[in-house]
Amino acid sequence: MNRIKTDILIIGAGSGGLSVAAGAVQMGADVVLLEGHKMGGDCLNYGCVPSKALIASGKAAYAQRHAEQYGVANARGTADYAAAKDHVADVIAQIEPVDSQERFEGLGVKVIREFGHFISSNEVQAGDTVITARRIVIATGSSPLVPPISGLENVPYETNETLFDLREPPEHLLIIGGGPIGMEMAQAHVRLGSKVTVIEGAKALGKDDPELAAVVLNSLRDEGVVIEEDAKAAEIRGKPGAIEVVTNDGRQIKGTHLLMAVGRKTNTEKLNLDAAGIKTTKTGVKVDASLRTANRKVYAIGDAAGGLQFTHVAGYHAGVIIRSMLFALPSKAKTAHIPWATYTDPELAQVGMTEAEAKKAHGSNLEVVRFHYDHNDRAIAERKTKGFIKVMVAKGRPVGASIVGYQAGELINLWALALANGMKMSQIAAMVAPYPTIGEINKRAAGAYFSPRLFDSPMVKRIVGLVQRLVP
Ligand SMILES: Cc1cc2nc3c(=O)[nH]c(=O)nc-3n(C[C@H](O)[C@H](O)[C@H](O)COP(=O)(O)OP(=O)(O)OC[C@H]3O[C@@H](n4cnc5c(N)ncnc54)[C@H](O)[C@@H]3O)c2cc1C
């Protein structure tokens, strides 16, 4: 058995683990990084990157079929599914070097390509190496949750770990799960020529504001996606190319391929957490606000910590624990300023409280301001007028923003900045945005907050009247 001692041991080389490794080693710590599978984890190999690349293929096909509105003849927009997958692989290959073993070794990290498990409170075994560390970071991510639906074991199905390798175009893709992953893949596939049916046990996009989610769901329905809601899959039967999902209320839904997108389970089973005195919850490793586990020397970050499961959250967690591990400074992870986006067309984005949450928290102090894309000149020029922004404001400060529409994932950045820094609506309104940009929607939402105060105020009218009469 080899034995190594290090300052920091990181288990898992995905978005979270890599961010900790790069930061810690460049600030002078000794770092060992374990990865049992692919460098880059879910986001690079099976998540954000391939899904956004496939969405881009779908967008290109859709744009060709809808060019006439811009005075350009419509084209057939026929997609070559296998070639779209080549594009996905090429995108991954372009980003891969940033997450590679070579790059991290170049930075001075010792990378061991093995799965690790705890053998004591401060020791982890990976293959034939035992690593003793001052601090240990669990960054093992999550995997697709495949619930035990009767018959599923006899039917071929895809998950996000296999879908991007599928080369044959699904004639009719059934997707169980109407969350962001399910809906993004539904739209990408319908645009690439598949029939698509989404089977959702409750409401599709149910974690977002229903008023905004409805805009996305209606767009998908207009494009031909069938969305079956309140439809719990009770039984699955059939064979390759002929699959049938039977719901608990008796609906029988037939397709050729099946994608399971019902949720995620955290990767903790290989870790032997008991040996280190680490506890878990229903959703992941149990952590406190500083992301420490029940074992004070061990942290858990990213998807493994079981909270919001996004790449940018894993990266944010990395910053939080670096401050604590390297500088022994108090450091807490917060969620109120964390944005997220679903990359359908139109996009759906959220930061801070939804309208319903803000009503509960702020009662009569809450004002909700809105602005619609169809009043934005750039959106009109681009024919992207579907959608709107809602900003929840309490005592002059935004406490949440919800956007559905073109580039909502870009627009939300400004509100993420505002919430992270406790900015006031007046500071947003003070910004000058270039004309004509989609970004003006943000400024106009701030304007919508001040307009009634300026234009409907008898006091303002009296002052203006007085100044006009009295000031020479
Ligand atoms: C289809 C899909 C689309 C997504 N799209 C987005 C998006 O657009 N934007 C966004 O922000 N997020 C998106 N996500 C979520 C995002 O991918 C995850 O939140 C992110 O990858 C979490 O990073 P992580 O570091 O916690 O875990 P991961 O990236 O999963 O990395 C964990 C790593 O740990 C390794 N590992 C596990 N156990 C061990 C062990 N015992 N020893 C050694 N190594 C181990 C794994 O092999 C893996 O490489 C998407 C996810 C999916 C599935």
Side-chain angles (χ1 to χ4, degrees), residues 10-19 33-52 55 112-118 124-126 138-144 159-161 163-164 180-182 184-185 259 261 263-264 266-272 301-305 308-315 317 339-343:
I10 302 157
I11 312 176
S15 314
L18 291 174
S19 303
L33 175 65
L34 305 184
E35 174 52 60
H37 188 41
K38 288 189 179 178
M39 295 292 289
D42 237 39
C43 184
L44 174 65
N45 299 293
Y46 312 115
C48 337
V49 172
S51 61
K52 267 75 262 179
I55 285 170
I112 301 176
R113 300 299 293 272
E114 296 278 2
F115 284 104
H117 63 271
F118 286 90
V124 168
Q125 184 174 344
I138 299 173
T140 50
S142 65
S143 303
T159 67
N160 68 294
E161 291 181 358
L163 179 71
F164 301 108
I181 296 174
E184 286 183 1
M185 289 303 94
L259 170 65
R264 315 282 307 161
T266 47
N267 297 327
T268 50
E269 69 281 4
K270 285 194 175 77
L271 286 169
N272 192 26
I301 63 167
D303 283 11
L308 290 171
Q309 294 184 318
F310 297 104
T311 286
H312 48 279
V313 173
H317 282 175
W340 66 81
T342 301
Y343 299 91

Side-chain angles (χ1 to χ4, degrees), residues 216-263:
V216 174
L217 299 179
N218 287 337
S219 293
L220 264 69
R221 287 189 178 108
D222 288 347
E223 289 188 36
V225 177
V226 175
I227 305 168
E228 300 275 356
E229 295 186 301
D230 300 311
K232 282 212 170 63
E235 194 190 339
I236 300 177
R237 52 195 183 212
K239 54 181 192 223
I243 293 169
E244 187 173 19
V245 177
V246 183
T247 63
N248 57 349
D249 57 0
R251 279 173 265 183
Q252 297 179 357
I253 304 156
K254 291 187 176 144
T256 57
H257 292 70
L258 175 63
L259 170 65
M260 297 299 295
V262 293

Side-chain angles (χ1 to χ4, degrees), residues 289-291 308 313 316-317 320 331-338 419-420:
S290 58
L291 301 170
L308 290 171
V313 173
Y316 165 62
H317 282 175
V320 170
S331 186
K332 287 187 177 168
K334 301 181 185 135
T335 52
H337 64 305
I338 304 285
L419 263 69

